[in-house]
Amino acid sequence: MRGSQQFKYGMYQLADHFFGRKKFFKDRAKYYNDLVAELKKHGEGRIMPVERRKDLSLEEFKNHYVRKGIPVVMEGAAKDWACVQKWSLQYFKDLHGDDEIVLVDQAAKDFPYELTTLADVIDNIRSGGSKYYRFYPLLTRHPEHLEDFDYKWLRERRTNPVWFDAFQVFIGGEGSYTSLHNANQSNLFVQVYGEKKWVLYSNYYAPIIDPSPVRNVYRDAPAKVEAGPFNPFELKFEPPYELFRYMDGYSVHLKPGDVFWNPPFYWHAVKNVSDSIGVGYRWLSPFYSFKMSPLYMSLDCMATNPPIWKAYSLYRKDINELHLAEVKKLEEAKKKIAQQETVKKNEPGVPV
C-alpha cells in the first residue's frame, strides 16, 4: 500500500484513540475502496515460515534480527535448560497445584473470570477441557524457578534501556487458541513442553486488521462476525475479512527447546497443537518499541484504561489483573479473593 495510505490510516487511529470512531472520520468507504484497488495491484499475500537458525551468534542476532525487527526461531537454544528438561503438567501440579489463581477467559467478551487453583486447570486440560491459563506469574510467586532458565543468555539478547522485564507462563491443552493481537513488548518465547504454532503479520497491515480504538497497552483484532476475529489458522476470506487475503505473513512451529524472537507490535495468533507449556520472557524497551511503531508506542504512553503507570504495575504482578482492570472487574475480583481467604482462615484446623 502507498505511504500516503499508511499515513492517513495513522490519522484515523490517532483520532480514534482520543475521540472514538463516532466523532471524526466516520465514513471511510472511499479510503478502503482506494486501498482495495492498491492491494489488488500486488496480488494475494502468502504465509512464509520464519527462519530457523541453529547456533545463531549473539552478534548476528542483534545486528540483523533485532536491529531490523525480523522474527527468528533459535532452534534448540534452550534444549539443555532445566525448564525444558523437567517441566510438565504433572510437575506443576505436584509442585504448585495449590496455587490460587484468577483464570481470565480472554477469548470471551468482557473477560469473564473464575477463582480456581492451578491443579484444577491442569486436571481440566488433561481431561480434554478448554481452559487455557495465560500469563501465569510463576517467577513472581516462585522465584526459585529462575534457576530453570539461562537468565544471562536471555538478558544478553535484550534491547536497552529496559523499563521492566517479566516471565509469563502459558499452560494450555491441545487446540487451545489465542486470537490476533499485538503489544509493545519484546518477547523471547521459550517452548518448554509440547508444541505450539504461531501466525504473524507485520504491523504494516494494521489498516487491514483495523483494530478497535483502545486506551490500554495492547491491541486485539476486532471481532467483526459472531464467530470472532479473523483466524489465520482457518483461512476464510469472506466479508468482512476479504482484505486479509492480501497480507503476507509468517508461520512458526515451536518444539521443546526452541526460542522464538517476536519483535514488538507484530500481530500474532497462537495455537497449541498439543498440551503445551511455554514461557514468554518479555521486556519493555521504550525507544526500541518506538522505533518499531512510533504511532502505537506514542498512543501506549497515553493509555488511560488503566493509566500506563498502573498498567505496568499490574503487568509485572499478574497481567490477568490488568485485563480485569480494563473491564472494571479488578476490585470485584480482589474482594472475592479476600472473602475466600477469610473463609479459609475460619475453617477448623487452619492455623491463623
Side-chain angles (χ1 to χ4, degrees):
M1 64 190 81
R2 298 191 303 272
S4 59
Q5 292 171 321
Q6 288 276 357
F7 179 80
K8 190 170 186 179
Y9 184 76
M11 296 301 294
Y12 289 162
Q13 288 276 274
L14 193 64
D16 291 347
H17 179 86
F18 290 106
F19 306 109
R21 289 193 168 171
K22 295 182 180 180
K23 190 75 173 179
F24 298 108
F25 306 119
K26 291 182 287 186
D27 185 3
R28 303 180 186 183
K30 182 179 185 306
Y31 173 83
Y32 276 99
N33 287 337
D34 292 342
L35 182 62
V36 169
E38 185 66 24
L39 292 170
K40 286 182 176 180
K41 293 179 184 178
H42 303 281
E44 296 189 6
R46 58 196 180 108
I47 301 295
M48 301 160 286
V50 163
E51 187 178 5
R52 298 180 66 89
R53 294 289 305 274
K54 291 183 178 180
D55 302 318
L56 178 62
S57 71
L58 175 60
E59 181 180 11
E60 185 179 1
F61 173 70
K62 284 191 168 184
N63 290 340
H64 181 66
Y65 298 98
V66 174
R67 186 169 63 84
K68 297 180 180 179
I70 299 173
V72 66
V73 175
M74 287 165 276
E75 185 174 335
K79 67 181 186 299
D80 296 323
W81 297 3
C83 57
V84 177
Q85 297 291 319
K86 297 190 302 184
W87 290 13
S88 67
L89 296 179
Q90 188 63 45
Y91 176 86
F92 274 130
K93 183 178 178 181
D94 291 342
L95 275 183
H96 307 307
D98 292 335
D99 275 10
E100 295 179 344
I101 64 173
V102 180
L103 184 67
V104 180
D105 184 355
Q106 295 170 32
K109 186 178 179 181
D110 292 333
F111 295 147
Y113 70 94
E114 62 174 304
L115 307 181
T116 185
T117 66
L118 185 60
D120 287 339
V121 172
I122 290 173
D123 286 342
N124 175 271
I125 290 171
R126 296 172 79 173
S127 65
S130 60
K131 291 184 178 180
Y132 187 4
Y133 188 22
R134 303 169 175 88
F135 305 108
Y136 176 30
L138 174 69
L139 271 75
T140 301
R141 294 189 173 199
H142 308 287
E144 66 273 13
H145 285 293
L146 184 61
E147 296 181 359
D148 293 342
F149 298 84
D150 188 338
Y151 190 36
K152 179 176 181 292
W153 188 96
L154 293 167
R155 286 172 59 91
E156 285 176 343
R157 284 154 180 79
R158 296 191 316 192
T159 50
N160 291 308
V162 173
W163 276 8
F164 67 85
D165 63 354
F167 287 84
Q168 296 159 343
V169 180
F170 296 77
I171 305 174
E174 179 179 353
S176 50
Y177 165 77
T178 300
S179 60
L180 275 173
H181 60 287
N182 85 6
N184 58 30
Q185 301 94 45
S186 300
N187 187 5
L188 283 169
F189 191 91
V190 183
Q191 186 62 27
V192 172
Y193 172 85
E195 299 183 14
K196 187 185 294 280
K197 288 185 176 181
W198 300 53
V199 176
L200 300 95
Y201 299 102
S202 166
N203 198 43
Y204 171 84
Y205 293 108
I208 294 175
I209 297 170
D210 194 25
S212 300
V214 294
R215 293 186 179 180
N216 48 43
V217 292
Y218 71 97
R219 291 163 186 81
D220 291 311
K224 297 183 178 181
V225 296
E226 187 175 349
F230 177 76
N231 184 346
F233 296 104
E234 299 175 2
L235 296 177
K236 298 177 181 178
F237 298 120
E238 294 83 6
Y241 300 126
E242 64 270 28
L243 294 188
F244 283 69
R245 70 173 65 248
Y246 298 107
M247 297 196 305
D248 289 328
Y250 292 108
S251 64
V252 179
H253 189 159
L254 296 180
K255 298 183 179 182
D258 289 343
V259 180
F260 172 46
W261 160 241
N262 180 24
F265 295 115
Y266 260 89
W267 291 93
H268 55 283
V270 185
K271 183 176 182 180
N272 292 315
V273 294
S274 69
D275 293 351
S276 170
I277 301 173
V279 181
Y281 174 64
R282 303 172 191 259
W283 67 91
L284 178 60
S285 180
F287 299 118
Y288 180 72
S289 295
F290 182 85
K291 175 184 174 183
M292 294 296 104
S293 177
L295 173 64
Y296 280 168
M297 189 61 208
S298 297
L299 293 180
D300 288 351
C301 289
M302 293 179 277
T304 59
N305 184 34
I308 188 169
W309 60 267
K310 185 176 181 180
Y312 286 128
S313 175
L314 293 171
Y315 190 101
R316 285 191 291 267
K317 181 183 177 186
D318 184 348
I319 200 171
N320 291 289
E321 293 189 5
L322 170 60
H323 292 317
L324 291 177
E326 291 164 14
V327 292
K328 315 301 182 188
K329 292 182 178 179
L330 180 58
E331 294 307 314
E332 172 191 283
K334 286 183 175 180
K335 288 179 182 178
K336 288 184 178 180
I337 293 170
Q339 289 169 358
Q340 281 192 354
E341 291 176 349
T342 300
V343 169
K344 275 191 170 184
K345 287 180 180 178
N346 293 331
E347 288 178 354
V350 177
V352 179

